Amino acid sequence: MKYRITRTKVPNVLRFMAFFKTVIAKLATEATSNRCNPFITFVLGGPGSGKGTQCVKIAETFRFAHLSAGDLLREEMSSNSENGTMIHDIIKDGKIVPSEITVNLLRKAIHSSGNHKFLIDGFPRNEENRIAFERIVGVEPDIVLFFDCPEEEMVKRVLNRNQGRVDDNIDTIKKRLEVFKKLNLPVIDYYSAKGKVCKINAVGTVNEVFEKVKPVLAALRYCEGRILDIHESSSSSSSSAAAAVDAATRYHNRTKHSLTRGATPGGPRGLDWANQPNPFLPSSPPSPPPPPLSPEPHDDSPPLPLRLPPPFLRRSPFSRLHLPPPLRLPLPLRLEVHRPLHLVPPRQPVQRQPSPHRVPPPFPTSSPLATTTLLSSSFLFLFFLGPLLTQGPLPRAPRLDISAGPPPPPISARRLLLHPLAGGLEVRRACLSILQP
Ligand SMILES: Nc1ncnc2c1ncn2[C@@H]1O[C@H](COP(=O)(O)OP(=O)(O)O)[C@@H](O)[C@H]1O
Ligand SMILES: Nc1ccn([C@H]2C[C@H](O)[C@@H](COP(=O)(O)OP(=O)(O)O)O2)c(=O)n1
């Protein structure tokens, strides 16, 4: 069963192309800004667990910017600012400074640092801190390092710290430990549930603990598909392995295999996704063609107007979508787009065989609604309408072939095609017809 799709109003299609270009540009901008997001590591643990000590080593070795919330607050406290006395009193009492103050200090430090990888030490201390950071700075941590240390060890270390801090005394430390258990552990639980916490046993010498930290940081090179420029600056036993990884990373960054370059159409060195192989071609051998459809009942009813909900009707009514007589579409469905599939106009038109897109079985056969959901507007848009309309001149007869297997419950073609389009395909005044050849 074959239907021909023709386009009748070129200016409308141009408008649609402009819209499509805008969408692509927006996606590209988002992708770029994602790449520029800072890499945030929250470093948590009780008072005296060794957060600051380990942060200094991590920052040196892996070139992170180290921002200690406590240090920023102490600086603010001694700068005679209007909040100085308040901060002093809160810290001395072992309590937590209002989030707005701490987060703004952190935000300024992040923006002025010039780095893009941060260790944020001693933050967030409570849920309020966490929520304020997400609201004001607008990012979540990529990972959370949690230094787990027994209480008696923490007390011993704090009392030996000897930095003249107003809160390093036995009375304040007891309160801080209570605050840690009551307010900070729930934050750690929150990030644990999100799979972001890396718990490190903080017992042992400084170097022993650092040996446990190092592999965590080294693994971040490839965190979430991003290649971070995380390199150990000190010589290490694994330096030859690291050098091999670096060489591979540099190679990938130089070539079209780069994960971070050329993601926009017409990118550097002519890398253009449009010229890349069609990623949707099936890798397995094609399955045999489905048996032909059973004969259809004749239907003389006039073509159905395509009803689009507002706001799609704002400018002008959508044109009619001429549908053939009701068609039994047994399952599974197969859509074939007889056009090369590109999302942007190729420099050189590439001739390709039709690319069949199987709607993956098992198809839910019981509910027509479930079926139409699979053929959603974005599906049609991405795989059929969008590519067609951005290709420049259409071929004489672009075809959308719908073929189907033996008949389980019948589904009307009107329902199948109207429902997804009416669901929100944002095409203004495009004029499409589906015609029987
Ligand atoms: N692994 C360790 N073993 C023994 N002492 C440590 C260790 N790590 C840190 N210290 C010492 O304990 C004290 C508290 O460490 P610090 O890094 O300031 O902890 P935090 O930032 O978590 O409060 C410091 O005097 C530090 O030198
Ligand atoms: N997010 C934060 C971090 C620290 N503070 C206050 C309260 C803390 O007891 C002090 C000292 O913090 P700091 O991180 O330097 O303390 P420790 O390194 O855990 O001993 O600062 C805060 O109010 N909010």
Side-chain angles (χ1 to χ4, degrees):
M1 188 59 54
K2 288 182 178 160
Y3 301 99
R4 201 173 338 134
I5 290 196
T6 59
R7 188 183 59 190
T8 56
K9 290 189 182 172
V10 171
N12 294 334
V13 171
L14 288 178
R15 225 174 280 162
F16 178 80
M17 285 168 68
F19 160 77
F20 189 66
K21 253 181 153 178
T22 318
V23 172
I24 294 285
K26 198 172 158 224
L27 289 174
T29 313
E30 274 171 17
T32 312
S33 66
N34 279 346
R35 246 179 278 140
C36 297
N37 267 353
F39 187 89
I40 304 278
T41 307
F42 284 160
V43 183
L44 299 179
S49 57
K51 302 181 292 296
T53 308
Q54 293 300 324
C55 279
V56 169
K57 289 183 80 68
I58 298 169
E60 268 172 23
T61 310
F62 295 99
R63 302 205 187 94
F64 276 68
H66 173 204
L67 305 179
S68 156
D71 285 350
L72 288 170
L73 288 169
R74 279 185 287 274
E75 251 172 56
E76 184 72 1
M77 188 171 93
S78 50
S79 72
N80 291 328
S81 76
E82 50 177 329
N83 292 322
T85 317
M86 183 209 7
I87 296 172
H88 174 274
D89 294 346
I90 292 174
I91 289 184
K92 189 153 191 268
D93 205 19
K95 295 194 176 133
I96 307 296
V97 175
S99 301
E100 199 89 351
I101 296 176
T102 319
V103 174
N104 277 316
L105 291 171
L106 285 171
R107 184 180 53 81
K108 278 189 219 150
I110 288 174
H111 288 152
S112 61
S113 96
N115 202 328
H116 68 282
K117 306 187 302 256
F118 296 94
L119 296 168
I120 302 196
D121 167 8
F123 184 95
R125 286 293 228 269
N126 57 15
E127 281 289 295
E128 194 208 23
N129 269 187
R130 176 182 75 71
I131 292 164
F133 186 87
E134 283 169 19
R135 180 170 53 81
I136 296 172
V137 182
V139 285
E140 279 206 17
D142 292 272
I143 59 160
V144 177
L145 294 182
F146 166 40
F147 288 96
D148 190 25
C149 195
E151 274 189 21
E152 55 284 15
E153 178 69 17
M154 293 196 275
V155 174
K156 200 171 83 191
R157 288 183 191 178
V158 168
L159 293 178
N160 285 336
R161 185 152 48 186
N162 229 353
Q163 289 176 354
R165 282 173 46 169
V166 289
D167 52 347
D168 280 355
N169 58 72
I170 192 66
D171 291 338
T172 312
I173 181 95
K174 277 184 189 158
K175 290 183 195 165
R176 290 165 67 199
L177 284 170
E178 283 314 304
V179 168
F180 170 70
K181 279 186 278 187
K182 197 167 148 214
L183 301 179
N184 208 336
L185 286 179
V187 176
I188 294 165
D189 288 343
Y190 171 87
Y191 287 122
S192 288
K194 293 189 137 204
K196 293 191 170 183
V197 173
C198 180
K199 183 160 132 180
I200 288 154
N201 182 350
V203 179
T205 65
V206 171
N207 284 338
E208 280 167 357
V209 177
F210 189 56
E211 284 305 311
K212 298 176 209 167
V213 174
K214 257 177 19 186
V216 176
L217 273 296
L220 292 178
R221 280 165 189 272
Y222 303 109
C223 185
E224 294 183 354
R226 281 188 272 172
I227 295 184
L228 296 172
D229 54 338
I230 288 178
H231 305 276
E232 283 184 47
S233 58
S234 62
S235 59
S236 89
S237 56
S238 61
S239 61
S240 59
V245 172
D246 285 347
T249 305
R250 279 198 300 278
Y251 167 78
H252 279 275
N253 282 336
R254 266 199 332 267
T255 65
K256 70 173 189 172
H257 308 293
S258 167
L259 295 181
T260 53
R261 287 180 49 210
T264 47
R269 295 203 188 164
L271 174 60
D272 184 334
W273 296 126
N275 293 326
Q276 302 304 301
N278 180 355
F280 302 108
L281 282 173
S283 53
S284 48
S287 41
L293 294 171
S294 49
E296 296 156 21
H298 184 68
D299 181 359
D300 284 333
S301 58
L304 287 174
L306 175 58
R307 288 185 217 290
L308 289 178
F312 306 110
L313 289 180
R314 240 182 324 178
R315 291 211 173 174
S316 71
F318 209 88
S319 73
R320 284 161 177 261
L321 184 69
H322 299 274
L323 282 175
L327 162 73
R328 289 181 182 279
L329 276 182
L331 308 173
L333 285 177
R334 202 167 79 146
L335 295 183
E336 284 191 9
V337 182
H338 287 251
R339 288 279 298 160
L341 278 180
H342 296 302
L343 290 179
V344 289
R347 296 213 173 86
Q348 301 268 312
V350 182
Q351 289 305 320
R352 284 221 182 92
Q353 290 300 311
S355 318
H357 291 283
R358 280 192 82 82
V359 179
F363 235 165
T365 52
S366 53
S367 142
L369 188 64
T371 310
T372 55
T373 308
L374 270 174
L375 279 177
S376 65
S377 55
S378 55
F379 180 90
L380 285 178
F381 176 74
L382 264 180
F383 293 145
F384 185 66
L385 297 174
L388 273 182
L389 295 175
T390 51
Q391 291 296 306
L394 279 176
R396 281 268 165 79
R399 290 200 322 263
L400 167 61
D401 292 357
I402 302 176
S403 52
I411 295 158
S412 133
R414 288 174 189 195
R415 181 133 191 209
L416 188 70
L417 292 169
L418 281 177
H419 178 86
L421 288 176
L425 182 68
E426 200 168 347
V427 182
R428 290 187 190 135
R429 298 188 63 207
C431 198
L432 296 170
S433 310
I434 296 186
L435 302 173
Q436 264 183 308

